[in-house]
Amino acid sequence: MFRAAVIGTSYGGLNALKAIIPHLPKDFPLAIFVVLHIGDNKNDSFIQYLNKQSKVKIKEAEEKEEIKAGTVYFAPPNYHILIENNSTIALSTDPKIHHSRPSIDVLFESAAWHFKNQLIGILLTGLNHDGALGIKEIQKYCGITIVEDPETAIATIMPASAIEIMKPDYILHLDQISKKIIELSKLD
Amino acid sequence: MNPNQLEDLENIDIEIPLFLEAIFQKYGYDFRDYSTAHIKRRLMHRMAIGRFETISQMQDKVLRDKSFFISLLEDLSINVTEMFRDPEFYSSFREHVVPNLRTYPFIKIWHAGCATGEEVYSLAILLKEENLLDRCQIYATDFNRRVLDIAKLGIYPTQDLEKFSRNYIESGGKGKLSDYYTLKYGSLKLDQSLSKKVVFADHNLVTDNVFAEVNLILCRNVLIYFNKDLQNKVINLFFKSLSSSGFLCLGTKESLRFTQLESNFANIDSSQKIYKKRIN
Ligand SMILES: C[S@@+](CC[C@H](N)C(=O)[O-])C[C@H]1O[C@@H](n2cnc3c(N)ncnc32)[C@H](O)[C@@H]1O
């Protein structure tokens, strides 16, 4: 049984997330963590927008917050997000990685160590290499990995650089991804 | 699931507390109640860079090699900072805290975890613009001596200048940032008059006691690295250090929400995490 999913994306990410999160059912049994690169900009209006469109609850992650199933946590701009071993959220102002804070690698790695084989890692459209090492780490600890098909991604570099260094369990078109996550979430 | 990998992770969770205990016993630096996720990430990376196979192997090294300990100290103390970081905080400070400070004949300020000092110079600029700097005594502390040395010099690379200037303007600065520094050899040097009232000192929030009685404490982006117990302990230290009605400023993503002393402080600006000690 899966306990969590992590999603990483940068350029084109707003569109990609709109194609996934609104499709998740109300009683979705996993917690979801999202790193979206948006520079110094605020997340608020996008979170508000997604909340209107979606059945799951979406919010910005808070320091020391307890993780709940059926909730989508966005990393706040300018902070890395990590998972503590008592299932709470940690934030950090460590240096940027791949010019990014929040960094996908930081989230993926710490989620991989915590959730191990109960994790789904999803890497979407983006213009840099962040997330490739992270999704490889998820695979190392037996999580399921999904990478958006570079053919259909708005920006190919991010998914393509993951596929270069690992073999994802699924390479999917954007419109197939929510279906796959829901299917996996139902497994025992 | 691959049993070896799972066992590795289990072992790491056993080894990390032992490793931190060893550092504490040997060097007196106490990381035992830092955020586990943060410590784990740092140690895993140091392990990979140093080609250690296990945390225990690395423990052997740290006990016998002081210079290796120093590099770990650098890993574990994240010194990332900037001038007028979170400009909205500074504008809120001008609006909500400054009028209060004006009523004091003499103001004592403590920057706890000041890193390389950008925050200290930023507040000094603000206080100077408000004509308060001359009445201030400022203590700026950190447990990392290397960063304190940089803070004392007040010399920073110019690569960040654009960001600093933008922050200064957004923070409601009354002049130009260039009024406060000179450029030399590709670096910017802050005006010495800004640090006239500042004492930089080595202080460890975990193991050292009350530093001085002060009217204002800034401790931004430090508690975020601590677990709940340690946050409580340090907030308690701040409570004891603050004079009555003193102010406490935390980082934008930090709060008193999960701490025991929450009710002993009033919210002055809940989004900028400015608190005031209640009189009881
Ligand atoms: C991320 S920096 C924050 C700098 C600055 N306050 C700001 O917000 O930009 C955190 C600082 O806390 C210091 N620190 C960490 N643990 C500490 C401790 N136990 N005692 C004193 N300083 C500590 C680190 O050395 C580092 O310089």
Side-chain angles (χ1 to χ4, degrees):
Chain A
M1 208 184 91
F2 291 101
R3 288 166 62 205
V6 288
I7 303 179
T9 181
S10 73
Y11 188 78
L14 294 177
N15 279 317
L17 291 169
K18 281 190 219 165
I20 296 176
I21 293 174
H23 295 286
L24 302 175
K26 191 173 173 9
D27 53 355
F28 190 68
L30 279 62
I32 301 189
F33 304 91
V34 181
V35 165
L36 166 68
H37 296 160
I38 48 167
D40 287 336
N41 300 314
K42 293 209 162 99
N43 272 330
D44 309 15
S45 56
F46 183 58
I47 290 179
Q48 219 175 11
Y49 167 86
L50 268 187
N51 254 323
K52 283 207 191 99
Q53 308 290 317
S54 309
K55 295 168 212 90
V56 288
K57 182 180 173 191
I58 299 145
K59 68 186 297 289
E60 192 168 273
E62 291 173 66
E63 205 250 336
K64 302 269 186 284
E65 178 172 9
E66 219 164 289
I67 295 168
K68 293 207 178 78
T71 307
V72 180
Y73 300 93
F74 272 73
N78 257 317
Y79 290 81
H80 294 299
I81 171 174
L82 301 91
I83 314 297
E84 289 284 0
N85 58 6
N86 61 358
S87 291
T88 58
I89 292 171
L91 300 179
S92 105
T93 63
D94 284 26
K96 293 184 179 183
I97 294 190
H98 305 289
H99 308 287
S100 311
R101 187 174 52 221
S103 143
I104 302 168
D105 279 343
V106 172
L107 167 64
F108 279 19
E109 188 181 74
S110 107
W113 298 338
H114 181 67
F115 293 111
K116 306 175 186 96
N117 61 345
Q118 298 177 314
L119 178 68
I120 306 172
I122 303 146
L123 194 62
L124 304 172
T125 166
L127 268 184
N128 71 14
H129 303 281
D130 194 16
L133 288 173
I135 201 159
K136 194 175 171 188
E137 193 77 359
I138 291 176
Q139 188 160 61
K140 179 173 170 193
Y141 294 109
C142 308
I144 292 285
T145 52
I146 302 174
V147 174
E148 182 178 359
D149 191 339
E151 296 262 312
T152 61
I154 294 180
T156 56
I157 297 177
M158 188 171 281
S161 49
I163 295 169
E164 237 169 69
I165 62 166
M166 49 89 68
K167 197 171 164 297
D169 297 295
Y170 303 97
I171 299 177
L172 298 175
H173 287 193
L174 181 57
D175 55 11
Q176 298 300 309
I177 293 180
S178 60
K179 225 195 296 173
K180 178 54 77 183
I181 305 175
I182 294 168
E183 183 191 309
L184 288 169
S185 77
K186 291 182 179 148
L187 297 180
D188 288 328
Chain B
M1 166 163 199
N2 185 334
N4 287 336
Q5 246 116 41
L6 183 61
E7 201 182 335
D8 279 351
L9 283 181
E10 279 171 8
N11 286 339
I12 285 164
D13 287 338
I14 297 170
E15 287 170 298
I16 288 179
L18 299 173
F19 183 85
L20 299 177
E21 183 66 35
I23 289 188
F24 178 56
Q25 300 267 332
K26 175 88 184 193
Y27 299 104
Y29 283 84
D30 190 354
F31 292 102
R32 295 174 299 173
D33 283 321
Y34 276 52
S35 140
T36 317
H38 162 67
I39 295 280
K40 192 177 198 169
R41 182 177 134 70
R42 288 283 145 188
L43 295 185
M44 295 285 264
H45 280 254
R46 180 50 60 184
M47 199 160 83
I49 293 167
R51 298 181 190 283
F52 297 99
E53 301 214 333
T54 63
I55 301 269
S56 303
Q57 248 183 34
M58 200 157 75
Q59 178 174 322
D60 194 71
K61 174 88 171 164
V62 78
L63 284 174
R64 284 165 184 80
D65 181 350
K66 173 118 194 234
S67 67
F68 183 67
F69 167 69
I70 300 290
S71 58
L72 272 172
L73 195 60
E74 287 294 327
D75 285 346
L76 297 178
S77 75
I78 303 301
N79 309 121
V80 176
T81 185
E82 62 192 56
M83 286 194 81
F84 294 95
R85 179 184 206 162
D86 308 316
E88 288 166 17
F89 162 73
Y90 289 88
S91 48
S92 174
F93 187 96
R94 267 189 212 264
E95 189 184 334
H96 297 112
V97 183
V98 164
N100 225 287
L101 296 182
R102 262 192 220 301
T103 64
Y104 299 2
F106 188 65
I107 309 161
K108 284 190 180 175
I109 301 172
W110 179 17
H111 289 267
C114 67
T116 39
E118 285 88 332
E119 176 189 284
V120 183
Y121 289 99
S122 304
L123 192 72
I125 290 172
L126 185 157
L127 293 166
K128 189 166 180 173
E129 292 183 350
E130 300 293 341
N131 287 320
L132 288 172
L133 188 58
D134 289 335
R135 301 186 214 170
C136 294
Q137 171 62 55
I138 301 168
Y139 305 105
T141 64
D142 203 285
F143 77 159
N144 179 326
R145 291 194 196 125
R146 185 187 61 81
V147 296
L148 282 174
D149 286 339
I150 298 173
K152 275 178 215 160
L153 290 174
I155 299 177
Y156 304 106
T158 44
Q159 70 192 47
D160 300 323
L161 191 51
E162 206 179 308
K163 170 109 200 176
F164 291 178
S165 307
R166 204 173 346 120
N167 286 353
Y168 170 74
I169 293 165
E170 283 173 26
S171 79
K174 294 188 170 167
K176 298 193 298 292
L177 190 58
S178 57
D179 299 340
Y180 304 102
Y181 64 79
T182 46
L183 290 173
K184 229 182 205 168
Y185 315 117
S187 300
L188 65 103
K189 177 159 180 38
L190 287 158
D191 195 347
Q192 282 297 308
S193 70
L194 295 171
S195 52
K196 230 174 30 201
K197 298 300 188 78
V198 186
V199 175
F200 291 96
D202 188 352
H203 181 274
N204 189 325
L205 287 166
V206 186
T207 46
D208 292 332
N209 225 313
V210 171
F211 189 78
E213 190 183 295
V214 296
N215 308 103
L216 163 66
I217 296 175
L218 284 92
C219 183
R220 309 193 71 229
N221 305 301
V222 182
L223 295 184
I224 208 171
Y225 292 104
F226 297 173
N227 72 15
K228 276 186 206 169
D229 289 344
L230 186 54
Q231 288 188 346
N232 269 314
K233 187 177 148 183
V234 175
I235 294 295
N236 200 30
L237 176 74
F238 291 158
F239 185 77
K240 285 195 282 182
S241 309
L242 278 175
S243 59
S244 73
S245 305
F247 289 91
L248 173 63
C249 303
L250 303 179
T252 322
K253 298 297 173 200
E254 296 164 331
S255 80
L256 294 179
R257 210 177 84 194
F258 300 111
T259 63
Q260 290 145 1
L261 287 174
E262 182 177 11
S263 58
N264 296 67
F265 288 90
N267 257 315
I268 300 299
D269 180 342
S270 54
S271 68
Q272 296 308 321
K273 308 300 155 62
I274 301 178
Y275 301 92
K276 189 174 185 182
K277 183 173 169 176
R278 287 188 202 275
I279 313 164
N280 41 3

